[in-house]
Amino acid sequence: MKTTERRPARRGRPGEIRLEGQPVSPGVAIGYAAIAHEPAPPPVDMARRDCDPAHERTRLHDAISRSVAQLGRLHDRLALLPEDGQVEIGSLLEVYRRMLGPSRLRRGIEGRLDQGMVAEAAVMQETEALAGFMLAPPGRPAPEGEDAVAARRRAGEFREIGRRLIRNLSGTPYRSFSALPDGAILVAEQLRPADAALIDPSRIAAVVTEEGGSTGHTAILLRALGIPAVLAAHGLLAQLGRRTRLVVDGTTGQVIVRPSTRTAAAARVDVAAYARERQMLGRLRRLPARLSSGEVVTLQANLEIPAELPMIAQSGAGGIGLLRSEFLFMNAETLPDELHQEAVYLPLIEAMAGDPVTIRVVDWGSEKNSDALSRAGIGESGDTNPALGVRGIRLLLQHRGLLETQFAAILRAARAGPVRVMLPLVSSVGELRAARDIYARIGRRLRRKGVEIPDPLPPLGIMIETPAAALMADVLAQEAEFLAIGTNDLTMYTLAADRAATDVAALYDPFHPAVLQLVRMAADAALRHRRPVSLCGEMASDPIAVPLLVGLGIRSFSMHASAVPRVKRAIRALAMDDCRRMACRALEAADGREVSTMLMDYAAAARQPADE
């Protein structure tokens, strides 16, 4: 991933300029830049305190009504977009609609109006206050890693709805893309998530912005639209004239301004090659994930929010290997009860049409934010180091009602298809036994009430995320019905390095031989006790890592849906003997860099590009 630091424009061939941004959506496009400016709203008087609260409430309610109507019109446009885009953007629009209803945001704005503030100032102050709370909750550590990414998205949701309200309060028009010529490359200083809903992928060849990042809502939506996109290409607007030709590479993050004849010809070749690759990967969906030597590998998908379900279906994944249930708590004002959770799980299980679904019970810690959990006094320990504090199964065993409710909801929904239940951050057999006792008791309670649940109960397994769990895998495998190796946390705990911490990010290396030794130990223990074992960290989605992981004994992977076709292609080119030799060499390596070089050399020899 490209960094967001500002880089100077770099001269390529005579007359052309090359800029580096963050790659967001893969593919190559060539076309003329079309700049889409956003009209700025008038300045807001933040100090004014003499307004009539009743009048300002009326203005606010009118702005809310207009905003809801606008979101409705955006939703109506979704039928024109690709299916992935429809689901992703539709889900975000629903979040915006809920925020405009009887929400914490709306109550906060109205409270500021009672102090005599003008509506625009009340909206701005309240949205910024809530965004700030998401990013740096008072009295608690700031979110890190994936939780920091989620916090930035949540903060962005507050700011986005605030901008919409202020535009409607001030009567400022919105940006329009309807006048852009067909085949244009859309260029903007910044693109809002709602702007992405207005993009017609059949008319816009690519998108480039000067600001933004690869993990925000805008990036997610652009990926769902399936057009090449690069964000954070700093300095681009200053290089553009009246008709400026661009080459945009959404895979590498490179933007070429005024490409030479030779560069433009090469770009056209890349455009055709990428189109052929997409067709080829599409055909892989129906083919088995089988090594050339005959061994079958299971490929499943991770699911973070229900909106990702269509992407899983289109990827050819053989089930959901990791359903992260945290989304149920992220935007909730009250804890979801048993029936509410069942109503969420049930359609997800039904949609998989008999393919297995592995649901991880909520993996929460003090670095995450949830109004519902905070009101219940859950997850607010104030740990100075959340990664080493009360999280995962530790938190659930302290607040057993939360675990009991989730177990009951999953068991109720399990009538719809094959389900497995997974416990996060288990580090001792005592934690597993305590959770199993609760699981069995909830099953007996539901049967006494006449609720239809599977018999026997769905398998109960654990995540291997700590060195302790890997070292004790033989003992844990006797009690757990399956194991899932989470290499993200396993790497962090093994190397004492958080990839989100700048000072030690370079030490975070999942190819470090110490991490690989622990993966091998867990896989061997599962094999000895005839327990299924899978791997669901980011390594699982890296085709370069596939021969190593297969050689270490992994036969089941769970990854982001978009990675499934490329991993399947890598698997179909492998032979088991080569994988085992690769694993032996990697376990004897001196460091992760040596392992990475070994894997890159193997990929090059097998004619698999390193970025696939």
Side-chain angles (χ1 to χ4, degrees), residues 150-461:
R152 286 194 294 271
R153 288 181 191 163
R154 182 71 172 131
E157 291 167 7
F158 283 117
R159 287 170 172 154
E160 174 62 24
I161 208 64
R163 281 188 288 264
R164 181 167 292 274
L165 287 173
I166 289 172
R167 284 187 172 277
N168 283 321
L169 284 164
S170 62
T172 306
Y174 288 86
R175 178 164 28 200
S176 174
F177 305 136
S178 60
L180 299 183
D182 288 355
I185 292 178
L186 171 61
V187 178
E189 182 177 2
Q190 191 171 34
L191 205 63
R192 312 295 183 199
D195 294 332
L198 298 173
I199 294 174
D200 182 350
S202 68
R203 295 183 57 245
I204 302 299
V207 173
V208 188
T209 69
E210 284 206 337
E211 305 297 334
S214 60
T215 59
H217 276 303
T218 298
I220 293 172
L221 300 181
L222 290 172
R223 281 192 286 270
L225 291 176
I227 57 176
V230 174
L231 303 186
H234 303 301
L236 175 61
L237 288 171
Q239 305 293 337
L240 301 183
R242 183 171 175 273
R243 268 176 66 84
T244 304
R245 204 178 196 190
L246 301 177
V247 170
V248 177
D249 190 331
T251 304
T252 65
Q254 187 170 85
V255 180
I256 304 174
V257 184
R258 288 182 291 275
S260 67
T261 302
R262 183 178 297 182
T263 299
R268 283 190 285 270
V269 171
D270 290 340
V271 170
Y274 183 71
R276 288 194 300 271
E277 182 190 36
R278 290 192 66 174
Q279 290 178 343
M280 185 271 293
L281 291 176
R283 289 193 294 270
L284 278 174
R285 173 184 172 186
R286 294 178 291 274
L287 298 177
R290 181 183 294 129
L291 274 67
S292 62
S293 49
E295 295 83 358
V296 175
V297 176
T298 300
L299 298 184
Q300 297 182 321
N302 300 337
L303 186 141
E304 189 166 344
I305 57 175
E308 295 173 337
L309 196 59
M311 299 170 65
I312 291 175
Q314 293 171 21
S315 72
I320 297 175
L322 173 60
L323 190 160
R324 296 183 172 100
S325 60
E326 289 78 31
F327 70 88
L328 283 162
F329 303 85
M330 289 297 292
N331 296 317
E333 292 197 352
T334 59
L335 291 176
D337 62 21
E338 189 174 311
L339 296 181
H340 174 84
Q341 291 191 46
E342 177 194 5
V344 174
Y345 300 135
L346 198 61
L348 295 176
I349 297 168
E350 289 174 339
M352 295 312 296
D355 285 338
V357 176
T358 301
I359 303 175
R360 186 182 68 186
V361 291
V362 61
D363 183 8
W364 209 264
S366 61
E367 77 281 11
K368 299 180 181 179
N369 298 308
S370 165
D371 289 346
L373 290 169
S374 295
R375 289 195 180 98
I378 299 173
E380 292 203 336
S381 63
D383 297 324
T384 55
N385 189 338
L388 301 179
V390 181
R391 55 165 295 200
I393 192 63
R394 303 170 184 177
L395 182 140
L396 293 171
L397 291 177
Q398 285 190 12
H399 301 275
R400 298 194 175 202
L402 187 65
L403 182 59
E404 290 171 356
T405 298
Q406 197 162 19
F407 275 161
I410 294 171
L411 289 176
R412 284 176 174 271
R415 67 182 185 274
V419 169
R420 303 193 308 175
V421 184
M422 189 153 63
L423 305 174
L425 204 74
V426 171
S427 58
S428 73
V429 71
E431 292 169 333
L432 173 55
R433 287 172 177 167
R436 179 174 291 284
D437 288 344
I438 297 171
Y439 189 58
R441 175 164 52 80
I442 295 300
R444 291 193 297 269
R445 188 195 76 187
L446 290 173
R447 288 197 178 101
R448 284 196 301 270
K449 293 171 66 174
V451 177
E452 179 189 351
I453 63 173
D455 186 16
L457 297 181
L460 183 68

Side-chain angles (χ1 to χ4, degrees), residues 432-510:
L432 173 55
R433 287 172 177 167
R436 179 174 291 284
D437 288 344
I438 297 171
Y439 189 58
R441 175 164 52 80
I442 295 300
R444 291 193 297 269
R445 188 195 76 187
L446 290 173
R447 288 197 178 101
R448 284 196 301 270
K449 293 171 66 174
V451 177
E452 179 189 351
I453 63 173
D455 186 16
L457 297 181
L460 183 68
I462 63 170
M463 294 280 287
I464 302 291
E465 300 172 275
T466 66
L471 291 167
M472 293 294 292
D474 263 307
V475 176
L476 291 168
Q478 296 177 48
E479 306 263 350
E481 292 173 89
F482 65 93
L483 307 180
I485 304 170
T487 55
N488 295 351
D489 277 351
L490 183 61
T491 302
M492 176 182 71
Y493 288 121
T494 302
L495 303 179
D498 185 350
R499 58 183 168 169
T502 305
D503 292 345
V504 296
L507 300 176
Y508 180 95
D509 185 358

Side-chain angles (χ1 to χ4, degrees), residues 52-70 99-103 105-114 118-120 122-123 164-166 168-170:
D52 177 8
H55 175 67
E56 295 304 311
R57 276 178 180 262
T58 299
R59 293 184 63 228
L60 174 66
H61 294 165
D62 288 346
I64 289 174
S65 296
R66 286 194 293 274
S67 297
V68 170
Q70 290 159 359
M99 293 171 70
L100 290 168
S103 63
L105 171 63
R106 185 163 171 175
R107 290 193 299 271
I109 294 171
E110 291 174 344
R112 294 178 189 273
L113 295 181
D114 292 338
V118 67
E120 289 88 339
V123 170
R164 181 167 292 274
L165 287 173
I166 289 172
N168 283 321
L169 284 164
S170 62

